[in-house]
Amino acid sequence: MSGGANDGPAASGAFDPIVEAVLRAVLAGVLRPGQRLPERWIVETCGCTQSAARESIGRLQSLGAVVVPERRGASVISGREAPLSEVDRVWRQLLPLLEAPAGARLCSAEGALWERLSREQAALEAARPAAGDRLTDLLKRVSLQRAILGMA
């Protein structure tokens, strides 16, 4: 489970198992925006080691799903760290840049939060060659934050 700062869903479109388990818990309402995310919860829920839990928190932070203030522990991103209006504004401004070269229509995605997020992330990954790494990674992060914060 190694990865760089821009890791999101792997080339296959899937998150690593621990990150996916945490994200599914958030999207299912088990963990709420702003709620603390202790390493111990990840260890107990995912059956992983403390170091794997710590690494996953780092990956979740790089994805924009959690924040880790110094000496306070991780917590799920909330409207305080990513105001809904700002997340939506960024999404609406950047999405046309991706849709033009890639022809992707992501705003019309329907379905449950996890399925919608999975479709958006896969479509964004597929558009990477046309859109470029920076735009794709930024849109994937905003897509994830929209899902976490409950934006439809």
Side-chain angles (χ1 to χ4, degrees), residues 81-96:
E81 292 87 20
L84 292 175
S85 60
E86 184 66 14
V87 171
D88 192 47
R89 184 185 67 76
V90 170
W91 180 256
R92 290 179 194 281
Q93 286 182 341
L94 293 178
L95 191 60

Side-chain angles (χ1 to χ4, degrees), residues 2-25:
S2 62
N6 290 329
D7 287 349
S12 66
F15 290 98
D16 79 52
I18 299 171
V19 168
E20 181 174 333
V22 173
L23 292 176
R24 283 181 179 267

